[in-house]
């Protein structure tokens, strides 16, 4: 019996063996990291080592790393009213997000709906900088949230250009870099980001742990999202997830080294896309934009995404639909809808995402399954 092929790395990456070992070792340390005795100091040491590793992976300072429960909480922690640059600065009381953001950003954080504006995107799935500029100029200095790479299409956003527009108006830029970490070079200083969200499980770390990087030391948060103890320098109350954070640190350290893999993954992705298009009328989304080297979102008219996902699964291959699932109901992709993609193609979008363990044989098996599926669909039509 053939082993299964995992091609859904954008949903979550398999746990790295080195991370598993680090988590198990950390679970044997009983101390509370806020305690001053030897056991507590051991736990604290693990957290601070991980803080340094995550900071190094994204080009930030360790003092600015705030550990949280994942990318969603990192985004929610960033998207609050009242951030200022310096204690006497003016707080950001309105929010601008792109139309293709993760649902945790589109939710608007603590901002009320009347204080949130959505910037349009191009047909290639990148933010329209002219639209962003217009929104920025239409009021007081804003907090702007823009992902670095889209989780569905892989389209890399022009964050540096957006940062220039935001800062020229006295605003603050939050960047959701959850999908980018470990897949493209990531330096928050080059990006010009003020706040950056990252997550462990996208890079082979444990689920349930992430971080918000406060890049600019002059930034003053309005208040901690969670009230309680003084953990994380009074920025996130609650006893830290020591084992998860330790695993995150190991995964982050490996991810920084593994960036050499992105050219190999891109070659695999390009071969996959060439094979998908052979003998089938396939649309590959955001192909004209810079993309993550591991991500392909494609569609074929007349194909139902859920049918295709099941067909791949029956062939032993894990892929995902381009649609988000909520409460068991498949919703059309808001990303593709914002790009102006016709509804027929939106409903047939399939995402294949690769990782460091993806092999040539995995691509061969995926293409074999696709040839079988597309052949059945063509006969049916």
């Amino acid at each position: 019996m053939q082993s299964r092929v995992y091609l859904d790395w954008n949903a979550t990456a398999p746990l790295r063996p080195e991370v598993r070992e680090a988590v198990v070792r950390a679970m044997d340390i009983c101390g509370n990291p806020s305690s001053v005795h030897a056991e507590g100091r051991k736990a604290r040491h693990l957290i601070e080592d991980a803080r340094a590793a995550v900071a190094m992976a994204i080009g930030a300072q360790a003092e600015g790393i705030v550990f949280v429960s994942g990318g969603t909480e990192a985004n929610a922690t960033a998207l609050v009213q009242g951030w200022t640059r310096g204690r006497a600065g003016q707080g950001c009381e309105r929010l601008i997000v792109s139309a293709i953001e993760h649902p945790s950003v589109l939710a608007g954080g603590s901002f009320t709906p009347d204080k949130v504006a959505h910037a349009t995107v191009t047909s290639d799935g990148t933010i329209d900088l002219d639209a962003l500029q217009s929104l920025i100029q239409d009021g007081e200095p804003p907090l702007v949230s823009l992902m670095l790479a889209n989780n569905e299409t892989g389209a890399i956003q022009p964050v540096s250009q957006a940062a220039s527009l935001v800062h020229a108006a006295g605003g603050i830029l939050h960047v959701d870099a959850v999908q980018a970490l470990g897949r493209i070079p990531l330096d928050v200083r080059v990006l010009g980001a003020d706040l950056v969200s990252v997550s462990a499980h996208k890079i082979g770390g444990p689920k349930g742990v992430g971080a918000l990087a406060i890049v600019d030391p002059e930034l003053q948060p309005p208040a901690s999202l969670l009230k309680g103890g003084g953990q994380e320098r009074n920025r996130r109350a609650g006893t830290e997830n020591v084992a998860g954070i330790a695993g995150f640190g190991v995964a982050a350290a490996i991810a920084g080294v593994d960036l050499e893999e992105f050219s190999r993954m891109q070659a695999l992705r390009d071969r996959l896309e060439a094979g998908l298009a052979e003998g089938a009328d396939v649309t590959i989304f955001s192909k004209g934009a810079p993309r993550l080297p591991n991500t392909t979102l494609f569609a074929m008219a007349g194909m139902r995404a859920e049918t295709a996902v099941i067909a791949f699964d029956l062939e032993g291959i894990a892929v995902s639909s381009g649609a988000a699932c909520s409460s068991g109901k498949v919703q059309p992709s808001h990303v593709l809808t914002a790009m102006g993609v016709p509804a027929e193609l939106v409903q047939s979008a399939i995402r294949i995402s690769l990782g460091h363990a993806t092999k040539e044989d995995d691509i061969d098996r995926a293409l074999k399954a696709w040839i079988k599926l597309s052949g059945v669909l063509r006969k049916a039509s």
Side-chain angles (χ1 to χ4, degrees):
M1 183 178 178
Q2 280 188 310
S3 59
R4 287 186 59 83
V5 173
Y6 187 75
L7 297 176
D8 196 18
W9 290 69
N10 282 13
T12 194
L15 193 69
R16 287 179 177 271
E18 305 95 322
V19 171
R20 182 182 290 107
E21 292 171 6
V23 170
V24 171
R25 287 196 302 269
M27 292 180 74
D28 285 334
I29 295 176
C30 68
N32 186 311
S34 295
S35 298
V36 298
H37 47 59
E39 290 80 2
R41 294 196 303 274
K42 285 183 180 179
R44 172 56 53 191
H45 183 70
L46 288 180
I47 291 176
E48 298 312 319
D49 280 352
R51 200 185 309 277
V54 172
M56 182 172 292
I58 65 174
Q61 296 296 314
E63 294 76 14
I65 301 297
V66 182
F67 286 117
V68 295
S69 65
T72 291
E73 188 187 338
N75 290 340
T77 303
L79 303 185
V80 293
Q81 291 175 285
W83 281 97
T84 62
R85 185 171 275 107
R87 296 190 181 277
Q90 180 181 3
C92 293
E93 299 298 331
R94 65 189 184 105
L95 174 67
I96 299 172
V97 302
S98 85
I100 58 168
E101 296 300 310
H102 187 271
S104 62
V105 170
L106 293 176
S110 72
F111 291 83
T112 56
D114 62 303
K115 296 292 185 180
V116 182
H118 297 81
T120 56
V121 297
T122 68
S123 59
D124 274 334
T126 57
I127 190 170
D128 185 327
L129 290 174
D130 289 335
L132 176 62
Q133 173 76 323
S134 178
L135 290 172
I136 289 173
Q137 293 175 335
D138 189 27
E140 298 298 322
L143 172 62
V144 175
S145 186
L146 176 62
M147 58 175 34
L148 179 51
N150 186 260
N151 51 305
E152 292 188 27
T153 66
I156 298 171
Q157 304 301 308
V159 170
S160 296
Q161 296 95 310
S164 296
L165 299 177
V166 174
H167 294 153
I172 293 170
L173 178 65
H174 165 251
V175 174
D176 176 352
V178 166
Q179 288 293 345
L181 178 59
R183 292 173 184 148
I184 56 174
L186 176 55
D187 189 324
V188 297
R189 296 161 297 188
V190 173
L191 291 176
D194 299 305
L195 300 162
V196 177
S197 299
V198 289
S199 180
H201 76 100
K202 304 294 187 181
I203 58 171
K207 299 177 182 69
V209 60
L212 177 68
I214 303 175
V215 180
D216 185 349
E218 292 296 312
L219 281 183
Q220 299 293 327
S224 172
L225 198 64
L226 296 180
K227 311 297 182 184
Q231 294 88 352
E232 295 300 291
R233 295 179 173 87
N234 291 309
R235 294 175 298 196
R236 202 272 189 179
T239 301
E240 294 93 339
N241 174 7
V242 177
I245 290 170
F248 190 7
V250 172
I254 297 171
V257 175
D258 247 25
L259 288 175
E260 296 178 0
E261 280 283 291
F262 82 84
S263 58
R264 186 187 72 87
M265 281 193 289
Q266 183 166 324
L268 290 176
R269 184 202 66 188
D270 291 348
R271 189 164 78 80
L272 169 69
E273 291 181 352
L276 290 172
E278 285 185 8
D281 185 14
V282 166
T283 298
I284 295 174
F285 300 106
S286 294
K287 194 168 185 179
R291 285 182 296 158
L292 292 175
N294 77 317
T295 304
T296 294
L297 183 68
F298 72 99
M300 185 174 77
M303 175 180 72
R304 296 291 297 181
E306 51 267 45
T307 301
V309 170
I310 293 170
F312 273 108
D313 191 49
L314 291 173
E315 296 294 326
I317 300 164
V319 300
S320 65
S321 166
C325 185
S326 177
S327 300
K329 182 179 179 181
V330 175
Q331 304 286 349
S333 164
H334 70 279
V335 173
L336 296 181
T337 301
M339 291 165 57
V341 175
E344 183 182 32
L345 286 182
V346 172
Q347 295 290 346
S348 67
I350 296 295
R351 184 185 67 189
I352 295 179
S353 49
L354 319 180
H356 68 87
T358 305
K359 304 178 182 64
E360 294 275 353
D361 182 60
D362 298 332
I363 302 301
D364 292 337
R365 284 184 58 186
L367 289 174
K368 183 178 179 181
W370 170 246
I371 290 169
K372 179 178 178 180
L373 171 60
S374 60
V376 171
L377 292 172
R378 282 196 301 276
K379 287 180 182 178
S381 62

